[in-house]
Every structure is written in structure tokens, then in C-alpha cells.
Amino acid sequence: MPSGTRVRRAVVSATSVALMATGCGGGGSSSNGPSDAAKTFTYQGSEPQNPLQPANANEVGGGRIVQNLFKGLVDYDPATGKLRNQVADTIDTTDAQTYTVVLKSGWTFHDGTPVTAKSFVDAWNWAANTKNNQINSSWFEDIQGYPDVHPESGSPTADTMSGLTVQDGTHFTIKLNHKVSYFPYKLGYVAFSPLPEGFYQDPAGYGQKPVGNGPYEFVSWDHNSQVVTKTFANYQGVDKPKNGGVVFKMYTNAEAAYADLQSNNLDVMDQVPPSALANYKGDLGSRAIDAPQGGIQNVGFTLYQPEWQGADKAKVRQGLSMAIDRNTITRTVLQGSRAPASAWVAEGVEGYKAGTCGDFCTYNPDKAKQLIQEGGGVPGNSLKITYNADGGHKEWVDAVCNSIRQTTGVNCAGDPKTDFKTARAAITGHQINGMFRTGWVQDYPLNANFLADVYRTGAASNDTGYSSPEFDKLATEADKAASIQATATGYQQAEAQLATDMPAIPLWYYRTNSGYSNKVQNVSFDSFGNPAWTQVEVKS
């Protein structure tokens, strides 16, 4: 997901996020006392872009909250990255096109109502329907009947997808439009969460006071300040919380968050700011985190604007990529905490192939100027890179602009937006010009997630407006491959098309550089860049 391991082919069974009808009450079957409340820990968050609905969260501000309030059929073990069952008892298939799901019994929502097969099917149908304007609706496009509820134009001709069938309370089937060997891995994404029946009476109200089935239940949302959750006593998942809840504190300044961490007013950071990278390990000692992460930092282009369209402008974008001195920026500004990117897929992800970007990701001032000139130049000889000012990005954005300006003579400047929510709204609303920061952290650990979910025509996170018939064809062929390995190989071929078109420039691969306070222990991060939330322990 916007910033927002290896896998193997396997059936999930073998392997391994109620209000009243008025929406103004918060139900729950657990009642945590003062001692439990004292065991909550705070996390550095950002104001969600959208209401807290599972299919409406595709950025880390809302996504990290929603994935703790809801739990789907499967998730990923934070220690190994492997798929593991949660609400699902088994997910079986014989042809990679029709999947049979059997649920575990005993799961309930936070309002006490049971989680059933219908809870999943109804939620997916609602999320996919274009009338409900869910940003993650395209995640359901593999399911047979998706075009009926989400046509390319006009109104839906059906309310349900024909590929979803409830057999009984704990049993449903999923029929896809075509074979997708890795479909179980996609089911770990939060958009595939179930919803309680009360949700449909007041979706807007539930978006402000969500009722899920995850390890934590919603307590309150003080907008632009914090979201408070508490442990759900009846949680049935394999990862039962060892704490009393998570408080997501909204920061608009990464330096302020780091200062709070050092003074024990914040318990767990997302990422330390670039200004602290040189010293944070000395500052925090054994409480410093330096861990691999399945993420990448890119800058994208506004390809929906006429001045960036046409084959010649691809040369300009390639030239701009070659004008960025990744090695120097990662070594100096980012203190060696990032590795220069040579592809659009993060290191360590199944299907990662180094060097897909070729020479276009190698600093070459002469070639950069030549390509820009051959492509007719940068529109107006001026660029802005839009980014969120609350995420510690100013230093590297300025460095990228300096590299472009000094190498090519193109005017380049950062365009900071107050916070992540504001930046994302501008990006998804096509309210910017030129370029924008577009980091990506894996939703599932396969190269398809970095490619199909970002660059396929019409994909939920296709913020550039990129549309390539060749890329789409290769991606569809990869989806239909008979195995995970064949799918990964097919997507490598699709990725090669990005080097030709350059809809976004890969910059560097993430690591999780974080830390925690003296008040908590047993803090570790997974390859998604998330702490193992339920395993954090609050000291007495």
C-alpha cells in the first residue's frame, strides 16, 4: 500500500484487518478495566485519508488502524512472512480458479454478532460496488461478476458478484474470472475483511466508529490527534494481544515524534526522521530497530496531464531518472539506511529481479540531458515534487531536486503538503502538477503487488494514470500462470515494460529504521514495516 519475503505455492490450509443503526454508539463484548487501559501503548500514526472502512483504506494512516480492528481469512506471520489462517479453517482449490472456504467457528464481531460466510460475501459485494465509492474496489476484479457491480461506465447491473456463493454459515465458494494461482495471498489484504450486518444500515457512521472482528476494538477517534483502541477480549485469532490496546497518535512532524520517543511520550515509532538517522542507534541503544522491509520509494508522474503524454515524454522521464544520484543521496542524506533501487519491486519479495530498470536507474549526467532534449524537454523547464511534510521527506526530496537541477538545468523544487492525508487527497484527486512521492509497502509478498496493483490500468493505487496495453496483457498472462513461480516470472516480463515507459522513477529500497520507548518491550517489525502489534508488552 502507499507508504503505507518470499512465498511459495501452497493451499492456505496447508500453510501458511455494533454500532446502533444511527452510527453513534460503540458496541463491544469486552470491558477493559483501568489496569488494562494502563497497558496500552502509543504508536506514531497519521490522520487517515478516508473513513475507517476496510475497503477504503489503502494508505498507511488508515490501513494500520483498520488492520488491527479487522481480521480476514488469512494474514502473514510477522516473524516469517508466511501466510497463515485466521478466520479461515481451510481454503482449498484444485484448479486455481474456484476456491472453497471453510471458516473456523467461534469468531464474533466486537458487537457480539457472529462472523459468518455471509459476513465476508456481503462485505466483498458491497466493497466492489461502484455505488459505494470504495478506493480498494479493484481488489475484487478477479472475482466472476465484478463488471456487473463495477462497470467501467454507467450504473451497476447487479448488486452481487456471481462468483461468490454462500453455502452455509461457515462455508462459501469463490469463482474467479480466470486462474489466479496466488489468490490466497491477496486475501490477506485488509479490503477482504468481513463486516457486521449493522454496517449496512449506516456505512458512514461505522466509518467513524468501526466495529470489526480484530484483536483490538475501537474506542474513540479524535481527528488529527489520535485513535484509541483496546484489546478485544473475545478475539479468536492466533495472535492474541499481550497488551491492553494501541493508541495511534497523529504527528505532522517526524522530528516531534522522535523527540517524544526519546522522552517516553511515544512508545513505538514508524520511522525515525532523516535528521536522526546518523545518531538514533546511539540515542536508543538496544531499543533501536534496523530491519528489512518490503518497501520502495518512488516518485511518480502525472501522466493524466497532456504535457506528460506521448512516446517522446517517456524519454524525458528516463532522462530525469538518470539525473538522480541515488548512490550519493542514500549514502549521505539517508545515512546508508536505504539501498539504491534498480527495479520497481522491493528486495526480498518473491519475483524481485535486480536491474530491471537498466541504465535508466544509473546516474549519467550526459545521457540524462540528451534524453530530456530528445524528448522535447520538461514542460516549462520546471518540476515540483509533491510530498507529505509530516513524514521526514523534505531532506531527500530537496536532494533529488538538487541533483536534477545541477545535472540538467531543469528547475526543481519540493511541494510539501501539511500531512499524509492532505498529500494523498491531492494525489488521488489529480490536484498536482508534475511529480509526487509515491512510496509502496507490500500488501502481500509477491512482485504482482508492486506491479499489478500500482501500474495496471485502473488499479486502485494507480496514481499516475499510467495505461499500457502491453503491460496489462503481460500482467493478465502472469495472473493466469499455473504456479506462484510462473506468475512471478510473468510479472518480471511486465515490469520490463515500465523501463520503456517510466511512469514512476524507482529511488531506493526501504528499511525499517525505528525504535521504542523504555515503557515497552518485545518490539519487533515485520517485512511490511509494521510492528508485531499484539506481541508488544507494556512494562508494569
Side-chain angles (χ1 to χ4, degrees), residues 123-419:
W124 298 2
N125 280 320
W126 187 89
N129 196 306
T130 188
K131 293 186 298 184
N132 298 318
N133 196 32
Q134 296 292 283
I135 198 167
N136 286 323
S137 58
S138 66
W139 279 79
F140 302 93
E141 65 184 359
D142 293 325
I143 300 174
Q144 188 178 84
Y146 176 79
D148 298 330
V149 301
H150 200 108
E152 291 187 8
S153 61
S155 300
T157 58
D159 291 326
T160 61
M161 291 180 281
S162 58
L164 297 177
T165 304
V166 174
Q167 305 295 336
D168 55 43
T170 58
H171 173 201
F172 70 100
T173 55
I174 308 166
K175 187 171 184 180
L176 307 181
N177 294 313
H178 51 76
K179 292 182 178 181
V180 182
S181 65
Y182 63 97
F183 188 71
Y185 288 89
K186 300 181 75 169
L187 293 175
Y189 188 51
V190 71
F192 290 96
S193 300
L195 291 169
E197 289 189 14
F199 170 88
Y200 306 100
Q201 301 173 43
D202 185 14
Y206 272 70
Q208 296 300 314
K209 298 181 178 180
V211 174
N213 65 318
Y216 301 103
E217 58 180 303
F218 177 85
V219 175
S220 63
W221 184 358
D222 183 4
H223 285 274
N224 299 301
S225 178
Q226 64 181 19
V227 169
V228 179
T229 72
K230 66 178 180 180
T231 297
F232 177 43
N234 196 38
Y235 178 60
Q236 299 297 307
V238 300
D239 53 336
K240 296 189 186 307
K242 296 180 179 179
N243 51 66
V246 187
V247 177
F248 296 86
K249 295 179 67 174
M250 312 310 178
Y251 285 89
T252 58
N253 182 281
E255 282 75 15
Y258 186 63
D260 273 1
L261 183 76
Q262 291 179 290
S263 59
N264 291 310
N265 291 319
L266 174 68
D267 293 321
V268 183
M269 283 209 76
D270 175 24
Q271 290 272 17
V272 300
S275 59
L277 284 171
N279 301 316
Y280 86 102
K281 291 182 180 179
D283 293 342
L284 302 177
S286 63
R287 294 180 288 110
I289 299 285
D290 184 358
Q293 184 183 132
I296 188 172
Q297 187 71 267
N298 304 320
V299 284
F301 291 90
T302 52
L303 301 184
Y304 44 82
Q305 295 183 307
E307 55 265 37
W308 283 108
Q309 295 173 1
D312 285 347
K313 284 297 180 263
K315 289 186 175 182
V316 175
R317 296 191 292 270
Q318 291 166 342
L320 289 170
S321 179
M322 299 185 81
I324 299 170
D325 189 350
R326 295 165 179 78
N327 288 328
T328 297
I329 295 172
T330 54
R331 187 179 69 252
T332 57
V333 177
L334 297 172
Q335 297 293 320
S337 65
R338 306 287 186 267
S342 64
W344 285 264
V345 175
E347 292 179 305
V349 173
E350 181 74 12
Y352 167 72
K353 183 179 181 181
T356 307
C357 187
D359 291 340
F360 298 132
C361 282
T362 300
Y363 182 56
N364 187 328
D366 292 338
K367 187 67 174 178
K369 287 182 283 190
Q370 177 187 335
L371 286 170
I372 291 172
Q373 183 177 11
E374 289 177 358
V378 170
N381 200 45
S382 182
L383 279 174
K384 286 186 177 180
I385 300 179
T386 299
Y387 67 96
N388 53 301
D390 60 343
H393 303 296
K394 177 179 172 19
E395 291 86 349
W396 71 256
V397 170
D398 288 348
V400 166
C401 272
N402 286 338
S403 188
I404 290 173
R405 185 170 55 251
Q406 294 170 9
T407 300
T408 67
V410 173
N411 294 319
C412 183
D415 175 31
K417 302 300 182 184
T418 304
D419 53 29

Side-chain angles (χ1 to χ4, degrees), residues 34-42 242-245 264 267-268 284 286-287 516-523 535-540:
S35 61
D36 289 322
K39 293 178 181 178
T40 61
F41 71 94
T42 55
K242 296 180 179 179
N243 51 66
N264 291 310
D267 293 321
V268 183
L284 302 177
S286 63
R287 294 180 288 110
Y516 53 96
S517 76
N518 283 308
K519 297 192 294 185
V520 293
Q521 60 189 11
N522 197 34
V523 180
Q535 303 309 297
V536 175
E537 298 174 4
V538 180
K539 297 178 182 178
S540 300

